[in-house]
Amino acid sequence: MALTIAREAYTRLYAAIYQCNDILRLFAEKKDVDFIAGSREMMVAEARGLRAFLHFELLRLYSPACTVDSGASNILWMEGTQPKGVQMTTAQLTDKIISELEAAAAELAKYDPIVTGVGYDDLSLLGTAPIDRVWKLNYYGCLAAEARALMSRGTAEDFGKAYGLLTKIIGEGGYAFVRTVSGTDYEFSAEFIFALPSPETGFCALSEELFNPAPDGKGVTLSARLDIDDLHADDRRRNWFDSDNTMRTKFAPTSKIDKWKTAPAIPVIKIGEVYLMAAEAAAKSEQLPAGIGQFNDFMVQRNSESLKLPDTATQAQLMEALGKQYQYEFLGEGVRYHFCKRLNLTVTAYDGSQITDVGKKAFPIVK
């Protein structure tokens, strides 16, 4: 089963990259086709950014962490529609991904309606108004993806650059945290920067399977692995747990309240991760007070002010607090795994066993 999942994920990620390349090929070949001014540029930039994002996902899944083995050469960079790519080391591919995301973001800064506030008319192919750019790999999504890649390299300079990108999202993006349950869904989709819509028979069904108590489901009671009583009573993340002490309410179809009309979605990048990355990036680029400030702002937004750190906290104390919040913030999403892998931490599996040197772990590439 594990090998089948690894093979399918690898194949489908490259299939998605092929589609990006095919779109870019068509744009390059059909220059005589008229588009609304700016819409062509926006679509090309998003396709270019998405291609880089997908390569980074391949790198995170199928290679050791960059800080552990930057010389590994597991992933091909694919830039065309021919079945031939460029073999790169993890270091080289990370550099390429960062440069591609940076270029895509520079274009989107000029043409993305989510930045400009100016929509295109109905003749454009994608997104006619700023609201249509929500959940897409828009300008802010590209910045967050670039920050992820920069932090994977792990130098103080990279952390400093990532911090600049992340604070731009926080300061300019207009993303807000859920402070009350009323008027939202339990997955807090209003906090998503980049997400993948899913039919209720897709991700929601998987949520039921993973979090429904045995014998109907897998019987994984996530809150048994993490004491939610550490969270303030008004921390809205407590609403992710139901009366059975599982997380079925987070993504299940029954989690929709107040007739919320958004489609169920798989979160890929959320504003919560942006804050947590910003806190780490600041601390690791010799801006520890700013990092503590970002962390404390996050705890205020989550209604858990009692978990704020003192101004005298050390970097080690901040990283410990961040690790705990990665557990709370991303239960059932897999984001914490990549945090642990980037830092080469030891993690506790659901069965209680210890997994060491996570940074060395990688899915097998099954042909």
Side-chain angles (χ1 to χ4, degrees):
M1 175 62 75
L3 290 178
T4 299
I5 293 172
R7 180 190 294 111
E8 288 185 359
Y10 183 84
T11 301
R12 292 184 184 186
L13 281 166
Y14 268 118
I17 288 170
Y18 175 90
Q19 290 176 321
C20 291
N21 287 332
D22 197 35
I23 289 171
L24 291 168
R25 176 187 64 80
L26 289 170
F27 274 119
E29 292 178 359
K30 306 295 183 180
K31 292 183 178 179
D32 57 329
V33 177
D34 290 331
F35 289 90
I36 303 301
S39 63
R40 175 195 288 268
E41 290 83 355
M42 181 195 73
M43 291 185 282
V44 168
E46 184 175 352
R48 187 175 177 184
L50 184 58
R51 179 178 65 186
F53 175 87
L54 293 166
H55 278 94
F56 189 59
E57 289 303 293
L58 281 162
L59 199 57
R60 294 204 298 175
L61 291 171
Y62 295 92
S63 286
C66 188
T67 52
V68 173
D69 185 3
S70 63
S73 185
N74 296 359
I75 305 300
L76 292 170
W77 172 264
M78 302 291 291
E79 198 164 310
T81 55
Q82 299 301 313
K84 183 179 180 181
V86 179
Q87 195 81 44
M88 294 184 178
T89 65
T90 294
Q92 291 169 334
L93 186 53
T94 303
D95 291 347
K96 177 68 172 176
I97 289 165
I98 290 170
S99 66
E100 288 288 303
L101 287 167
E102 185 176 24
E107 284 289 279
L108 288 169
K110 294 183 287 186
Y111 300 110
D112 194 336
I114 206 166
V115 178
T116 66
V118 178
Y120 302 112
D121 67 25
D122 292 337
L123 295 178
S124 61
L125 295 181
L126 293 176
T128 60
I131 192 62
D132 296 318
R133 300 294 296 151
V134 174
W135 289 10
K136 306 289 175 44
L137 192 65
N138 57 38
Y139 170 68
Y140 298 111
C142 276
L143 295 187
E146 184 183 348
R148 277 181 174 177
L150 284 164
M151 292 174 69
S152 76
R153 291 198 303 202
T155 69
E157 181 181 2
D158 287 326
F159 281 117
K161 289 180 180 177
Y163 183 60
L165 299 177
L166 296 163
T167 53
K168 184 180 286 290
I169 299 170
I170 293 169
E172 301 174 8
Y175 296 96
F177 285 84
V178 169
R179 302 300 293 274
T180 65
V181 177
S182 177
T184 188
D185 48 60
Y186 282 146
E187 63 184 1
F188 303 170
S189 60
E191 298 181 5
F192 297 172
I193 295 175
F194 178 36
L196 302 176
S198 173
E200 292 192 354
T201 55
F203 193 58
C204 287
L206 178 62
S207 180
E208 287 284 327
E209 179 184 351
L210 288 176
F211 307 131
N212 194 34
D216 298 328
K218 300 290 186 182
V220 177
T221 306
L222 291 177
S223 56
R225 307 292 180 185
L226 189 65
D227 187 1
I228 62 172
D229 288 333
D230 287 347
L231 300 176
H232 190 276
D234 287 333
D235 191 314
R236 290 300 141 210
R237 293 174 295 181
R238 293 174 70 101
N239 293 100
W240 288 342
F241 297 93
D242 62 18
S243 58
D244 293 319
N245 210 26
T246 76
M247 269 186 38
R248 285 179 300 172
T249 59
K250 187 175 184 181
F251 296 113
T254 53
S255 72
K256 306 302 171 185
I257 60 175
D258 291 348
K259 298 182 179 179
W260 194 249
K261 297 300 184 182
T262 56
I266 303 169
V268 181
I269 302 173
K270 305 192 301 186
I271 189 61
E273 184 185 2
V274 169
Y275 269 81
L276 296 177
M277 287 196 298
E280 180 186 354
K284 291 183 176 178
S285 58
E286 301 182 356
Q287 302 174 78
L288 180 58
I292 295 170
Q294 293 289 355
F295 178 81
N296 288 343
D297 285 347
F298 173 75
M299 296 319 311
V300 169
Q301 296 292 341
R302 281 294 181 225
N303 296 330
S304 281
E305 293 189 42
S306 61
L307 297 181
K308 289 170 62 176
L309 293 173
D311 294 340
T312 55
T314 65
Q315 181 173 311
Q317 289 171 325
L318 173 61
M319 290 305 298
E320 181 180 0
L322 285 170
K324 179 64 70 71
Q325 288 307 312
Y326 266 89
Q327 289 181 284
Y328 288 127
E329 187 73 4
F330 305 109
L331 281 169
E333 296 181 30
V335 174
R336 177 174 171 264
Y337 169 77
H338 292 296
F339 169 77
C340 294
K341 181 175 179 178
R342 174 166 59 80
L343 298 176
N344 196 26
L345 301 178
T346 295
V347 299
T348 302
Y350 289 127
D351 62 3
S353 62
Q354 297 293 295
I355 304 174
T356 60
D357 293 327
V358 173
K360 298 179 181 179
K361 308 299 182 187
F363 286 174
I365 297 176
V366 183
K367 301 297 186 182

